[in-house]
Every structure is written in structure tokens, then in C-alpha cells.
Amino acid sequence: MALCLKAKEVGVAKCVVTHMTQSPWKLSLDQAKVCLEAGACLEHAVLAHLKGENAALVGYRNQKAISMAEIAEYIALAPDQQYICTDLGQAKNVHPVDGMRLFIKGLREAGVKDDVIDKVSRRVPARLLGLD
């Protein structure tokens, strides 16, 4: 949060908070709001959902997984400032393309509308890359 606020103060054009829903450094909804109000974009990785007791990677089994419903709560705060990614590619984990399919399907099941999914999966990343 401090870095987001400082970035706004000094005029940084683009600020991204990566892995913000991933334990052990997961932001609370209130902390996420502070970052969003400072103009930051928030990144949600499906890898955070693939942790916990059923994780493919042993090192991730002792970390708490986040539910799709909880990710949807964060996204609802400001869809125009958030995006999704996979953070996959590790051996034994699902392929990144399958991970993105899983993410989009899970968000739909959590009630996220297609126009919001379009924003967080395509439009916000394109804007951050200067491709809008």
C-alpha cells in the first residue's frame, strides 16, 4: 500500500500490485481499496486458487488457496483496474492455457459477467501494455 501511495505522489504513470490475492502476502479488501484509490492495477493469478491441500506442487500444499468467489469480490471493487493471469508453467501444474480456461470458468461460476471478464482478461492488460 505504501508503494502505491508513493507512486501516486511522485507521478508514476502505471503501478501494478502483483499476486495480491496470494498467501502469505494477500491483501485484505480494505488494503486493495487503498491501492485502487491510489490508481494502482491489481493482478490476480489463478495459481493462488491452485494452492492448498490438493495442490499439484508439494511446496504449495501448506499455503491457503483463494476461492473464485473471493477473487470475484476483489474484482467487483474496480474491474477497470484489475486483470487476471495464470502464473503457471511449473512442472506438474496445469498448462497455462488450461489454467486461464479454469480461471474464466471459475469466475463465471462465481457470478462475474462476461463484460467484466473481457475487461480483466483482455482490455486492462492491453491498456497496461499500450495496446488499447
Side-chain angles (χ1 to χ4, degrees):
M1 290 183 315
L3 289 174
C4 292
L5 294 169
K6 190 64 170 178
K8 180 180 181 180
E9 179 186 323
V10 300
V12 171
K14 296 177 184 175
C15 177
V16 174
V17 181
T18 62
H19 299 78
M20 56 80 50
T21 47
Q22 196 163 308
S23 68
W25 49 78
K26 180 180 150 203
L27 296 180
S28 69
L29 283 169
D30 288 336
Q31 291 169 324
K33 286 178 192 175
V34 169
C35 294
L36 290 165
E37 289 167 4
C41 287
L42 307 180
E43 173 197 79
H44 303 278
V46 76
L47 183 61
H49 177 71
L50 302 174
K51 294 192 173 193
E53 64 184 39
N54 297 317
L57 300 176
V58 175
Y60 291 162
R61 291 186 186 150
N62 63 346
Q63 297 178 22
K64 188 177 186 307
I66 187 169
S67 71
M68 290 292 174
E70 194 174 356
I71 294 171
E73 284 183 70
Y74 283 92
I75 290 172
L77 296 174
D80 292 327
Q81 289 175 254
Q82 299 181 67
Y83 67 94
I84 61 173
C85 68
T86 68
D87 198 25
L88 294 170
Q90 308 86 0
K92 298 185 182 180
N93 243 332
V94 299
H95 188 277
V97 172
D98 295 328
M100 186 57 79
R101 285 186 185 116
L102 171 79
F103 210 168
I104 291 170
K105 181 178 184 251
L107 290 175
R108 280 184 176 139
E109 289 171 356
V112 178
K113 302 293 183 204
D114 283 343
D115 64 321
V116 173
I117 290 172
D118 183 59
K119 284 179 188 178
V120 300
S121 65
R122 294 183 22 188
R123 297 193 186 281
V124 173
R127 186 181 76 235
L128 287 170
L129 293 170
L131 301 174
D132 54 346

